[in-house]
Amino acid sequence: MKKIVNEDTDCPIKRTLDIIGGKWKLRLISQIGKETRRYGELKKLIPEISEKMLIQELKSLVAFGIVKKKSFKEIPPRVEYTLSEKGFEVLPIIEIMKEFGKAN
Amino acid sequence: MKKIVNEDTDCPIKRTLDIIGGKWKLRLISQIGKETRRYGELKKLIPEISEKMLIQELKSLVAFGIVKKKSFKEIPPRVEYTLSEKGFEVLPIIEIMKEFGKAN
């Protein structure tokens, strides 16, 4: 009998895509990686992302606990982004996607 | 020295996201899996996808060589979808994303 289980109810892939899906998030996570990145660096690393989208996606990644944001009370203000523990759990997904991208 | 290599040029993650990115493709690939699926089954399995989007995403997956489409000259017409070899290469990405989704 073929498996026709309606996967809508609590689908783990949907859950993952809610957190790290879309055009930019995996690329941002990959660029932060094990480094500490500032906003300007990320903009340089992914030039085709708009300022608005970069701010929005970083905000979402921080809200989901994937990225940690550290602000320094300096003039001009300094903000640094690093991966959280949960963020490091995404790196194996990125590695396997890189392999697929290289092979295809 | 921090790595600031502009990753825009030929980014494997971008390449992978071009092929299997977006809200629906990974879920469709997961639902086809090792089975042979018909359009109606896929619609039942992912009820919130619109007819238009299902047709569009299946068309794109076939065009990228991820999914094979077989049409039977019957009345009513019968169409079956299965994963190609390249499609089977996506299943490990889906497995690792499922693990992440379950854990988060």
Side-chain angles (χ1 to χ4, degrees):
Chain A
M1 229 319 270
K2 258 192 254 179
K3 208 182 73 177
I4 294 205
V5 171
N6 177 332
E7 56 98 80
D8 178 35
T9 47
D10 191 24
C11 161
I13 302 173
K14 184 176 182 304
R15 173 72 185 145
T16 298
L17 290 172
D18 289 343
I19 298 171
I20 57 171
K23 200 174 161 184
W24 305 107
K25 285 185 181 171
L26 283 166
R27 296 175 64 186
L28 283 167
I29 295 164
S30 171
Q31 283 306 332
I32 298 171
K34 293 174 177 124
E35 308 273 348
T36 297
R37 293 293 188 191
R38 292 166 68 174
Y39 176 89
E41 284 178 286
L42 291 169
K43 186 72 184 75
K44 244 183 254 153
L45 286 163
I46 309 180
E48 75 270 35
I49 192 171
S50 70
E51 303 248 348
K52 184 174 166 256
M53 189 54 84
L54 179 52
I55 291 167
Q56 176 188 308
E57 298 294 73
L58 283 171
K59 211 172 178 183
S60 171
L61 287 170
V62 170
F64 274 117
I66 300 292
V67 167
K68 289 189 289 192
K69 176 181 178 179
K70 209 169 155 190
S71 306
F72 298 82
K73 289 196 175 50
E74 294 172 3
I75 298 174
R78 180 156 62 103
V79 177
E80 290 182 347
Y81 297 95
T82 51
L83 290 187
S84 65
E85 249 183 73
K86 199 155 106 173
F88 276 104
E89 287 173 34
V90 180
L91 293 182
I93 295 175
I94 287 172
E95 281 320 305
I96 198 169
M97 284 179 120
K98 274 184 184 172
E99 290 317 311
F100 182 86
K102 282 178 201 152
N104 294 288
Chain B
M1 231 312 274
K2 259 192 258 177
K3 208 178 67 165
I4 295 205
V5 170
N6 177 332
E7 55 96 84
D8 178 34
T9 47
D10 191 24
C11 162
I13 303 174
K14 183 175 182 304
R15 172 72 185 145
T16 299
L17 291 172
D18 288 344
I19 298 171
I20 58 170
K23 199 174 161 183
W24 306 107
K25 285 185 181 171
L26 282 166
R27 294 175 66 186
L28 283 167
I29 295 165
S30 172
Q31 283 306 332
I32 297 171
K34 293 173 179 129
E35 308 273 349
T36 296
R37 294 292 189 193
R38 292 167 69 174
Y39 177 89
E41 285 178 286
L42 292 169
K43 186 71 182 78
K44 245 182 250 152
L45 285 163
I46 309 180
E48 75 270 33
I49 191 171
S50 70
E51 303 246 350
K52 185 175 165 256
M53 189 54 83
L54 179 52
I55 291 166
Q56 177 189 309
E57 297 296 71
L58 284 171
K59 211 173 179 183
S60 171
L61 287 169
V62 170
F64 273 117
I66 300 293
V67 167
K68 288 188 288 189
K69 176 180 179 179
K70 209 167 151 191
S71 306
F72 298 83
K73 288 194 176 50
E74 297 172 2
I75 300 173
R78 181 156 62 104
V79 177
E80 290 182 347
Y81 297 96
T82 52
L83 290 187
S84 66
E85 249 182 72
K86 200 155 108 172
F88 276 104
E89 286 174 34
V90 180
L91 294 182
I93 295 175
I94 287 173
E95 280 320 306
I96 197 168
M97 284 179 114
K98 275 186 184 171
E99 290 317 310
F100 182 86
K102 282 178 201 153
N104 293 288

